[in-house]
Amino acid sequence: LEKDVKKAVRGIKVRVSRIEIANQTDNPLAWRVVLPDGLENKNIYLVHNTQDNNDIVALWLILIALRRAGVASITLLNTYEGYTRQHKIYLQGQGNSAVAMLKMSDALLDVHAACNAHWAKKSGWAELGGYKLYNYNSFVQVAEKMFDFIAAQAKQLGIELNGEVNKHPIVVIS
């Protein structure tokens, strides 16, 4: 994502820096966050994802480190909001993982945004369990970009994609 973020902020006077996680072991208690210098009293816009358990732990460690560094505010753009499909309890004994994730992250955030939170039905501010998230609802844009990429790869391989799509149509509904 680093290249995409740098491209997105061209022309804006902001500094783009990488936050490193030193994790030589599978034990997250031994991980160390390496922050760039000069973050005190700065407004931070963090681009991250929580697609698996390691990403979730890394996010929490980063947020804690940023708060300890004395940043003024933290806005998170979560490019993959993990566990958002688990926003309902279907069977007795299940937990609402979507609310649990929001509760833990939002305690350290000022603004929480996601590219596509499954439980939010439209773009804009959405609330779940008393926690707010700004949903960009970008599934269609991501799907279109993926399709363009696949079409370009197919063309390089000499595959006529129009014929394949006619045999197996794809429908994206927003």
Side-chain angles (χ1 to χ4, degrees):
L1 293 175
E2 189 173 1
K3 288 181 192 176
D4 295 325
V5 171
K6 286 181 178 179
K7 183 178 176 183
V9 299
R10 272 192 211 133
I12 304 172
K13 292 184 179 186
V14 296
R15 183 176 97 191
V16 176
S17 299
R18 186 169 179 79
I19 297 174
E20 296 290 336
I21 301 283
N23 56 349
Q24 276 75 31
T25 157
D26 289 338
N27 179 0
L29 296 176
W31 294 0
R32 190 173 50 85
V33 177
V34 181
L35 295 175
D37 293 330
L39 296 180
E40 188 173 1
N41 296 318
K42 300 291 183 187
N43 297 307
I44 305 300
Y45 190 91
L46 177 65
V47 178
H48 191 71
N49 77 72
T50 53
Q51 71 182 22
D52 64 29
N53 59 331
N54 289 332
D55 293 333
I56 293 166
V57 172
L59 174 64
W60 293 336
L61 292 174
I62 290 168
L63 295 176
I64 291 166
L66 288 169
R67 288 297 179 195
R68 286 182 176 160
V71 302
S73 69
I74 305 172
T75 297
L76 170 66
L77 171 58
N78 197 335
T79 60
Y80 183 89
E81 189 77 26
Y83 294 95
T84 60
R85 289 186 188 269
Q86 294 174 305
H87 64 287
K88 295 179 183 176
I89 297 173
Y90 297 98
L91 300 172
Q92 186 177 2
Q94 286 182 331
N96 187 326
S97 299
V99 171
M101 291 291 294
L102 289 170
K103 182 178 184 177
M104 290 184 279
S105 298
D106 288 6
L108 298 165
L109 293 171
D110 295 288
V111 177
H112 190 161
C115 289
N116 190 38
H118 299 288
W119 52 264
K121 301 295 182 203
K122 59 183 179 174
S123 297
W125 286 105
E127 187 174 325
L128 182 66
Y131 298 94
K132 287 189 175 183
L133 173 137
Y134 191 88
N135 185 39
Y136 283 101
N137 203 24
S138 60
F139 174 76
V140 172
Q141 293 85 350
V142 171
E144 288 173 345
K145 185 73 172 171
M146 288 173 62
F147 187 80
D148 292 345
F149 175 78
I150 291 167
Q153 296 299 311
K155 187 174 182 179
Q156 285 182 352
L157 295 171
I159 298 170
E160 180 55 47
L161 199 57
N162 285 336
E164 285 300 313
V165 171
N166 288 337
K167 290 180 202 172
H168 312 283
I170 300 170
V171 177
V172 177
I173 301 171
S174 173

